[in-house]
């Protein structure tokens, strides 16, 4: 029996995690569940899984949450500080699945408990980079990647010395607009962007997949998780999303992890690590799939991965600036304010401005994030 907290329990990763817990009720006891504003779903999940506490990020919704949990014996709390307190409650495993930099402080609080953190919230690692990886080392925390590519790489690296790695290759589906012309991309709508061909995910990461910024963020995520150096990281387009990533060693051996396009597989790998647990996913039927294809990315139509590579090579505050401007631009695109191709252009314009000083602690990362958001709002107005 392991105790489990889910930060971002009401989202897509949260739902996949709880689906696994539902099928394995003897394996886990739920400590804290958090959500942003969907109090109805949060309360229902807290009751179903008999959580110790449910926390809503939007403090104004706390009275509603209290009402929804009345008589259940489940504690409730609201606001940013309460999210952090929830993350500090002792839990063997914390799934960090809040979307965006909003998850940074709670994820760091979980890391500082020195237990196991299963990380889905890539934006937090992209922004905090060295600050987060230093905390992982300082507190002796086990950081397990949930992002499917990084979970694949983690599995392919197991038992091997990173010094022998020649390449880490992140696979990318290429998203829903993989074969669109540059002209057509300009007219892409939010509804088209969130319709991913292989994966069912939250709106923000779906747009990131369409721009390829998701792969850019994952490139930076891989840089921090796997110490092989930026020059050994590369990206390949693999439309079927069956090979989740690969590691090539100096002797010419390439290890790949394959599986269905279902986040319950990498989540299960992190929840059970170093053991394995059942998932309800269909076994991989390679004969039915028939063909796996690969091709080089096109950074002219999809410049986001170039921006991410440049940001991580320049280092300092730039990855946090990239992430913050992307979050602002994606929200503007989803609300119909800017065209699809302006998302990455907005990021490029903000990155071109004088960068803030490299952040040395969590508060400085948050300050860089806030400053970049303000700059992105200005840059975006010029692109409308
Ligand atoms: P989602 O939008 O479905 O869910 C996000 C969760 O975060 C929800 O519980 C929401 O209530 C909470 N949240 C949002 N804003 C918040 C705020 N300001 N304060 C507190 N909580 C807030 O997103 P998702 O698709 O589940 O993705 C979650 C994270 O996992 C993201 O970082 C994403 O990049 C990563 N990820 C997702 C997938 C996937 O298949 N969905 C795959 C790989 C990585
Ligand atoms: Mg991924």
């Amino acid at each position: 029996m392991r105790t489990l907290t889910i930060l971002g329990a009401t989202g897509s990763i949260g739902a996949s995690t709880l689906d696994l817990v539902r099928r394995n009720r003897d394996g886990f006891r739920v400590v804290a569940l958090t959500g942003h504003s969907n109090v109805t779903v949060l309360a229902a999940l807290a009751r179903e899984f008999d959580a110790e506490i449910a926390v809503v990020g939007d403090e104004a919704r706390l009275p509603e949450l209290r009402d929804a949990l009345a008589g259940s014996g489940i504690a409730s709390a609201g606001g940013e500080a309460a999210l952090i307190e929830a993350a500090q409650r002792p839990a063997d495993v914390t799934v960090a699945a809040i979307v965006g930099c909003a998850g940074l402080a709670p994820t760091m609080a979980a890391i500082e408990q020195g237990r196991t953190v299963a990380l889905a919230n890539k934006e937090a690692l992209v922004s905090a980079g060295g600050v987060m990886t230093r905390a992982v080392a300082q507190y002796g925390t086990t950081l397990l990647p949930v992002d499917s590519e990084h979970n694949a790489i983690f599995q392919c690296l197991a038992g091997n010395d990173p010094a022998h790695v020649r390449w880490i290759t992140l696979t990318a589906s290429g998203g829903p607009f993989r074969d669109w012309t540059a002209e057509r991309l300009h007219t892409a709508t939010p509804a088209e962007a969130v319709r991913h061909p292989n994966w069912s995910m939250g709106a923000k990461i779906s747009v990131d997949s369409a721009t390829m910024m998701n792969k850019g963020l994952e490139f930076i995520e891989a840089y921090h998780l796997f110490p092989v150096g930026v020059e050994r990281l590369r990206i390949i387009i693999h439309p079927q999303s069956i090979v989740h990533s690969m590691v090539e060693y100096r002797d010419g051996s390439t290890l790949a992890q394959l599986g269905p396009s279902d986040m319950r597989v990498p989540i299960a790998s992190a929840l059970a690590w170093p053991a394995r647990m059942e998932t309800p996913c269909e076994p991989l039927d390679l004969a039915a799939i028939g063909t796996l294809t690969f091709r080089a990315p096109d950074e002219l139509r999809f410049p986001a991965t170039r921006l991410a590579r440049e940001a991580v090579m320049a280092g300092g505050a730039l990855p946090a600036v990239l992430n913050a401007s992307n979050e602002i631009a994606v929200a503007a695109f989803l609300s119909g304010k800017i065209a699809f191709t302006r998302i990455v252009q907005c990021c490029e314009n903000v990155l071109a401005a004088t960068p803030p000083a490299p952040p040395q602690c969590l508060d400085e990362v948050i300050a860089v994030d806030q400053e970049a958001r303000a700059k992105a709002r200005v840059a975006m107005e010029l692109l409308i």
Side-chain angles (χ1 to χ4, degrees):
M1 172 75 83
R2 297 173 113 180
T3 50
L4 175 72
T5 281
I6 306 176
L7 307 171
T10 56
S12 167
I13 292 287
S16 294
T17 307
L18 287 169
D19 182 70
L20 293 169
V21 174
R22 189 176 285 122
R23 295 161 195 276
N24 196 343
R25 292 302 291 259
D26 297 336
F28 299 94
R29 188 170 63 73
V30 173
V31 177
L33 298 179
T34 83
H36 181 46
S37 55
N38 194 337
V39 166
T40 312
V41 170
L42 180 61
L45 292 173
R47 282 179 181 272
E48 179 187 353
F49 292 94
D50 196 22
E52 279 175 22
I53 185 169
V55 181
V56 60
D58 179 356
E59 205 167 354
R61 314 298 291 267
L62 179 56
E64 262 176 83
L65 180 62
R66 281 214 181 101
D67 287 349
L69 289 174
S72 66
I74 299 168
S76 53
E80 282 177 37
L83 290 174
I84 292 171
E85 283 165 25
Q88 289 167 335
R89 289 198 171 216
D92 297 326
V93 184
T94 299
V95 178
I98 293 175
V99 60
C101 217
L104 174 55
T107 301
M108 282 293 284
I111 286 172
E112 289 170 3
Q113 304 315 304
R115 295 188 172 87
T116 296
V117 174
L119 183 76
N121 183 201
K122 66 189 87 185
E123 297 91 347
L125 180 56
V126 167
S127 296
V131 170
M132 186 178 283
T133 51
R134 278 196 295 280
V136 167
Q138 182 186 340
Y139 292 93
T141 304
T142 303
L143 189 66
L144 300 174
V146 163
D147 212 347
S148 58
E149 297 76 3
H150 306 74
N151 186 269
I153 295 161
F154 181 80
Q155 295 193 47
C156 295
L157 283 171
N160 287 285
D161 182 347
H164 297 313
V165 170
R166 187 185 281 165
W167 287 110
I168 286 181
T169 306
L170 292 153
T171 54
S173 70
F177 306 148
R178 186 175 58 225
D179 299 315
W180 288 28
T181 62
E183 295 70 39
R184 193 170 168 211
L185 281 177
H186 199 65
T187 66
T189 66
E192 289 168 326
V194 299
R195 212 177 298 133
H196 195 279
N198 305 346
W199 300 91
S200 151
M201 312 182 283
K204 192 262 177 182
I205 183 176
S206 297
V207 175
D208 285 347
S209 297
T211 58
M212 295 283 290
M213 187 60 85
N214 183 49
K215 213 49 56 177
L217 299 176
E218 289 182 353
F219 187 91
I220 301 174
E221 186 185 8
Y223 170 81
H224 292 297
L225 288 172
F226 311 116
V228 299
V230 68
E231 64 289 346
R232 293 186 189 276
L233 297 175
R234 62 183 180 180
I235 295 166
I236 197 165
I237 304 292
H238 169 46
Q240 297 82 13
S241 298
I242 296 295
V243 176
H244 297 302
S245 277
M246 302 173 249
V247 178
E248 180 177 330
Y249 290 94
R250 68 202 296 187
D251 58 5
S253 287
T254 295
L255 303 192
Q257 187 264 352
L258 286 70
S261 316
D262 188 321
M263 286 306 294
R264 289 176 297 185
V265 176
I267 294 169
S269 154
L271 288 183
W273 188 85
R276 297 273 179 181
M277 64 188 276
E278 287 284 335
T279 72
C281 305
E282 288 293 312
L284 199 57
D285 186 349
L286 285 175
I289 296 164
T291 309
L292 300 179
T293 60
F294 301 90
R295 64 166 119 130
D298 175 357
E299 290 191 338
L300 289 175
R301 278 183 308 140
F302 298 102
T305 50
R306 172 179 59 76
L307 289 194
R309 198 171 49 247
E310 288 170 1
V312 78
M313 286 173 81
L318 284 187
V321 170
L322 173 67
N323 178 68
S325 44
N326 181 57
E327 286 192 33
I328 293 295
V330 169
F333 168 71
L334 282 171
S335 62
K337 265 180 94 177
I338 60 168
F340 179 75
T341 47
R342 301 298 201 199
I343 300 172
V344 176
Q345 205 174 338
C346 172
C347 297
E348 183 146 33
N349 292 355
V350 179
L351 282 171
T354 313
Q360 304 299 333
C361 62
L362 178 61
D363 287 346
E364 290 180 11
V365 177
I366 291 170
V368 166
D369 175 78
Q370 293 299 324
E371 184 187 330
R373 279 167 199 268
K375 281 188 189 161
R377 287 190 191 98
V378 173
M380 225 173 46
E381 291 301 323
L382 302 172
L383 293 171
I384 288 174

